[in-house]
Amino acid sequence: MNQRKCALELLTDACLLACKPTITPMDNLVKLSSTRSVSFTDVHAYRRLIGRLMYLTNVRPDITFYVQ
């Protein structure tokens, strides 16, 4: 499978294809909580997304920094 195609399909499936890149991917002022979160409605889609991200980080080490 072509790595570019895999990355584009991953972004399309996650509805992130039209997002703009930023220097910091997360706001430093946001406080994360383990008790107040929205559960995923489709567990299989979430697992598929994580599996595809793991594949990309193994074949493209330059992406590993941004994902982790």
Side-chain angles (χ1 to χ4, degrees):
M1 177 179 240
N2 188 356
Q3 295 168 1
R4 178 178 168 85
K5 180 182 175 188
C6 179
L8 288 174
E9 286 179 0
L10 179 108
L11 292 173
T12 303
D13 290 347
C15 300
L16 298 173
L17 194 58
C19 292
K20 296 179 184 178
T22 62
I23 295 173
T24 55
M26 186 173 169
D27 186 11
N28 294 338
L29 301 176
V30 174
K31 293 184 180 180
L32 300 177
S33 172
S34 63
T35 58
R36 294 180 17 205
S37 66
V38 178
S39 298
F40 288 98
T41 57
D42 189 3
V43 177
H44 298 291
Y46 176 73
R47 289 180 183 166
R48 186 171 53 247
L49 175 68
I50 296 301
R52 292 164 94 184
L53 280 173
M54 289 173 62
Y55 169 77
L56 278 178
T57 58
N58 285 329
V59 296
R60 296 285 308 266
D62 57 326
I63 297 175
T64 304
F65 175 76
Y66 297 106
V67 172
Q68 295 180 358

